[in-house]
């Protein structure tokens, strides 16, 4: 009788020790929050626009490839990617949550590519604790698979020439050519990422595949096309000054500034204002569209990854032209030949003028997003609210891209040709990305 009694007590104790485990629920909102966290850390680390685009592309590609294991109807973006072998297949007998594994892979790749790893590790570990508490077996299996995929992709990522470009020579600015780019105030920084065209692209045959039409021939002679564009930049600023910060052109310029490092000098004190990159702004627009369309986790991953690839190839294409043409910025010429007290609305970024990076990547991203969400997808862009700027409304992605492009002329940092030819360059590239990756519209 005592044996039966002790057995009964043992069974009760054993049963009470068994966790009440439930399936781990991972939603599209979790995906948005993770992309936002990586963006936040990139702002903290002050990544340049080209480098930021690389981080977005690889981290989202890792998540998307895992989601394809669960949904075979998702398009295989990687079939044409150079030297990328298929990711490890999941163990079908194991309890694996593919959304969970995708987020883990996204964070793991992101952690490898940013500087402040501890910030992402803290965020990741808070999620790990919650997931493990919910269902330890599901968490462990999903984590193992996510990390395996991340390791597989890391081996491919390391061969994209990024590490090699870190040790290549700085851009040389010594030249008597007045049309050649020179560092600009206030910090007179070296040209950033002069070797970015050497980075392995995703869909391009080469970094020069989508060269823009040539800019007007450099000339300081009145009546020439180039000189007229230079004077236009100067005159636009003078016209805007009549209205001040209330001028719509000023509002547009500041909304699309997206300069990750705006340096301010007050006497001997110098400090930086940090913001998102132009790629970060378009990833934010992708989030806005995904949430408005109520996309699920897999669909959101699809939209983010396609957009990020367009941005990454856009920067490679644009930087190829920038360091080929090496065109001088308006601020340099206006200060030297027209008005030495003139300052642009925006701080001139530290790299050559032609073509406009905002124009190229905005054109490329807008084509991809239009393909996914449709021609007349209207949205409220609150991406810049955290940086003290109001919401702006757009009736399409093309509308937003056009405004992003012209903002560079209003900001006083680009000539008109860089804007107009740049957005054509970007749209041509975007159409190529859509065709190359076979991007299809989403039904939502």
């Amino acid at each position: 009788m005592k044996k039966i009694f002790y057995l009964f007590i043992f069974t009760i104790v054993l049963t009470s020790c068994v966790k009440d485990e439930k399936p781990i629920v991972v939603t599209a909102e979790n995906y948005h929050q993770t992309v936002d966290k990586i963006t936040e850390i990139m702002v903290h680390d002050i990544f340049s626009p080209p480098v930021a685009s690389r981080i977005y592309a690889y981290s989202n590609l890792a998540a998307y490839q895992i989601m394809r294991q669960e949904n075979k109807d998702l398009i295989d973006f990687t079939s044409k990617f150079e030297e990328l072998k298929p990711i490890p297949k999941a163990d079908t007998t194991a309890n694996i949550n593919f959304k969970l594994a995708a987020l883990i892979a996204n964070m793991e790749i992101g952690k490898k590519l940013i500087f402040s790893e501890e910030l992402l590790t803290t965020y990741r570990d808070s999620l790990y604790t919650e997931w493990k508490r919910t269902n330890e077996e599901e968490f462990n299996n999903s984590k193992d698979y996510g990390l395996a995929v991340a390791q597989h992709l890391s081996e491919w990522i390391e061969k994209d020439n990024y590490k090699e470009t870190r040790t290549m020579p700085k851009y040389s600015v010594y030249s008597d050519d007045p049309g050649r780019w020179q560092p600009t105030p206030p910090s007179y920084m070296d040209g950033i990422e002069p070797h970015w065209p050497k980075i392995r692209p995703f869909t391009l045959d080469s970094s020069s595949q989508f060269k823009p039409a040539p800019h007007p021939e450099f000339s300081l002679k009145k009546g020439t096309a180039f000189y007229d564009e230079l004077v236009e930049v100067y005159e636009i600023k003078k016209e805007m000054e009549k209205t001040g910060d209330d001028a719509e052109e000023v509002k547009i310029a500041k909304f699309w500034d997206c300069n990750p490092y705006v340096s301010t000098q007050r006497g001997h004190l110098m400090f930086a204002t940090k913001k998102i990159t132009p790629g970060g702004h378009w990833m934010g627009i992708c989030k806005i569209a995904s949430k408005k369309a109520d996309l699920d986790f897999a669909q959101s991953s699809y939209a983010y990854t396609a957009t990020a690839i367009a941005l990454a190839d856009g920067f490679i294409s644009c930087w190829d032209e920038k360091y080929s043409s090496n065109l001088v910025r308006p601020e340099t010429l206006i200060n030297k030949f027209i008005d030495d007290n003139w300052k642009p609305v925006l701080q001139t970024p530290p790299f050559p003028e032609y073509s406009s990076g905002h124009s190229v990547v905005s054109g490329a991203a807008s084509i991809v997003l239009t393909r996914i969400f449709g021609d007349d997808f209207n949205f409220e862009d609150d991406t810049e609210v955290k940086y003290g700027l109001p919401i702006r409304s757009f009736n399409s992605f093309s509308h937003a891209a056009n405004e992003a492009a012209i903002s560079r002329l209003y900001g006083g940092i680009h000539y008109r040709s860089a804007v107009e030819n740049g957005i054509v360059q970007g749209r041509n590239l975007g159409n190529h990305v859509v065709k190359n990756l076979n991007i299809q519209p989403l039904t939502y």
Side-chain angles (χ1 to χ4, degrees), residues 198-216:
K198 297 180 177 68
I199 299 294
R200 178 188 61 208
F202 288 88
T203 69
L204 304 178
D205 295 333
S206 71
S207 59
S208 61
Q209 185 175 355
F210 289 96
K211 290 186 71 66
H215 61 76

Side-chain angles (χ1 to χ4, degrees), residues 37 101 109 125 161 173 264 284 343 365:
K37 176 55 66 173
I109 292 295
D125 288 350
N161 295 326
V173 298
T264 302
K343 292 183 179 179

Side-chain angles (χ1 to χ4, degrees), residues 57-68:
Y58 286 138
S59 58
N60 283 284
L61 180 62
Y64 181 74
Q65 284 299 94
I66 289 178
M67 293 312 301
R68 288 196 66 251

Side-chain angles (χ1 to χ4, degrees), residues 34 41 49 92 95-96 120 129 181 212 238 255 308 317 387:
T34 298
I41 297 171
T92 56
N95 180 17
I96 294 177
L120 190 54
T129 299
W181 179 79
K238 287 181 62 177
F255 183 79
S317 176
Y387 303 105

Side-chain angles (χ1 to χ4, degrees), residues 145-440:
Y145 183 59
L147 294 179
V149 172
Q151 179 58 38
H152 173 84
L153 289 174
S154 293
E155 294 171 4
W156 174 68
I157 291 170
E158 289 179 357
K159 298 176 183 178
D160 73 350
N161 295 326
Y162 177 78
K163 286 185 177 180
E164 289 77 1
T165 62
R166 300 308 89 189
T167 59
M168 290 178 181
K170 291 183 178 181
Y171 175 68
S172 175
V173 298
Y174 300 105
S175 174
D176 294 330
D177 182 356
R180 196 171 190 266
W181 179 79
Q182 296 290 318
T184 49
S187 299
Y188 297 93
M189 295 173 61
D190 292 332
I192 65 168
E193 300 299 341
H195 304 290
W196 200 253
K198 297 180 177 68
I199 299 294
R200 178 188 61 208
F202 288 88
T203 69
L204 304 178
D205 295 333
S206 71
S207 59
S208 61
Q209 185 175 355
F210 289 96
K211 290 186 71 66
H215 61 76
E217 182 180 359
F218 177 82
S219 174
L220 294 175
K221 184 177 180 180
K222 292 183 179 181
T224 60
F226 184 87
Y227 188 80
D228 287 348
E229 287 196 6
L230 174 64
V231 172
E232 180 185 27
V233 176
Y234 177 72
E235 294 293 344
I236 285 175
K237 171 74 184 303
K238 287 181 62 177
E239 189 65 28
M240 290 190 299
E241 286 175 345
K242 297 177 182 178
T243 310
D245 288 346
D246 290 333
E248 181 66 6
E249 294 87 349
V250 173
K251 293 177 181 177
I252 290 172
K254 291 183 175 180
F255 183 79
W256 292 101
D257 185 17
C258 302
N259 187 340
Y261 185 89
V262 177
S263 59
T264 302
Q265 291 181 317
R266 293 178 182 171
H268 296 291
L269 178 66
M270 184 175 73
F271 59 93
T273 301
K274 302 177 183 181
K275 301 174 73 174
I276 56 173
T277 62
H281 193 137
W282 278 98
M283 292 297 280
I285 289 174
C286 181
K287 180 185 76 171
I288 291 167
S290 298
K291 295 181 77 168
K292 180 179 179 179
D294 196 25
L295 301 189
D296 62 21
F297 188 103
Q299 292 171 322
S300 296
S301 177
Y302 172 79
Y304 276 124
T305 306
T307 303
I309 289 172
L311 291 169
D313 275 357
F315 276 111
I316 291 172
S317 176
C318 182
W319 252 241
D320 178 85
E321 177 58 34
K322 280 186 179 296
Y323 285 97
S324 295
S325 55
N326 286 316
L327 186 62
V328 64
R329 290 278 183 170
E331 183 173 15
T332 302
L333 296 179
I334 291 173
N335 286 165
K336 189 172 183 178
F337 298 105
I338 300 177
D339 181 353
D340 59 3
N341 292 316
W342 185 90
K343 292 183 179 179
V345 172
L346 303 179
Q347 190 169 113
T348 302
F351 37 81
E353 191 273 343
Y354 193 80
S355 52
S356 158
H358 268 60
S359 303
V360 174
V361 302
S362 296
S366 68
I367 290 292
V368 169
L369 288 168
T370 298
R371 176 64 172 172
I372 293 172
F373 293 98
D375 291 326
D376 301 315
F377 191 97
N378 61 79
F379 59 96
E380 303 290 310
D381 187 355
D382 63 356
T383 309
E384 300 286 340
V385 167
K386 66 168 59 179
Y387 303 105
L389 296 170
I391 296 171
R392 291 188 69 83
S393 301
F394 300 100
N395 54 34
S396 67
F397 300 111
S398 179
H399 176 199
N402 287 337
E403 188 175 282
I406 200 65
S407 74
R408 315 313 276 169
L409 179 61
Y410 297 155
I413 60 177
H414 275 294
Y415 312 107
R416 183 173 291 277
S417 289
V419 168
E420 295 181 347
N421 294 345
I423 201 163
V424 172
Q425 177 185 359
R427 284 178 170 146
N428 288 340
L429 186 150
N431 283 320
H432 167 79
V433 171
V434 167
K435 182 178 180 180
N436 186 277
L437 299 183
N438 191 31
I439 295 173
Q440 298 297 320

Side-chain angles (χ1 to χ4, degrees), residues 79-134:
S79 60
K80 298 181 181 179
F81 291 172
E82 185 179 340
E83 298 178 353
L84 177 58
K85 298 178 181 178
I87 65 172
K89 293 188 179 297
D91 182 355
T92 56
T93 65
N95 180 17
I96 294 177
N97 182 324
F98 287 97
K99 297 181 183 67
L100 179 57
L103 273 188
I104 290 171
N106 182 294
M107 290 187 287
E108 184 66 15
I109 292 295
K111 186 166 69 70
K112 289 176 181 290
L113 302 179
I114 59 176
F115 296 147
S116 300
E117 295 182 28
E118 71 281 358
L119 296 179
L120 190 54
T121 299
T122 299
Y123 171 77
R124 180 204 66 186
D125 288 350
S126 67
L127 296 175
Y128 276 12
T129 299
E130 178 185 346
W131 292 332
K132 189 173 183 179
R133 187 187 302 120
T134 303

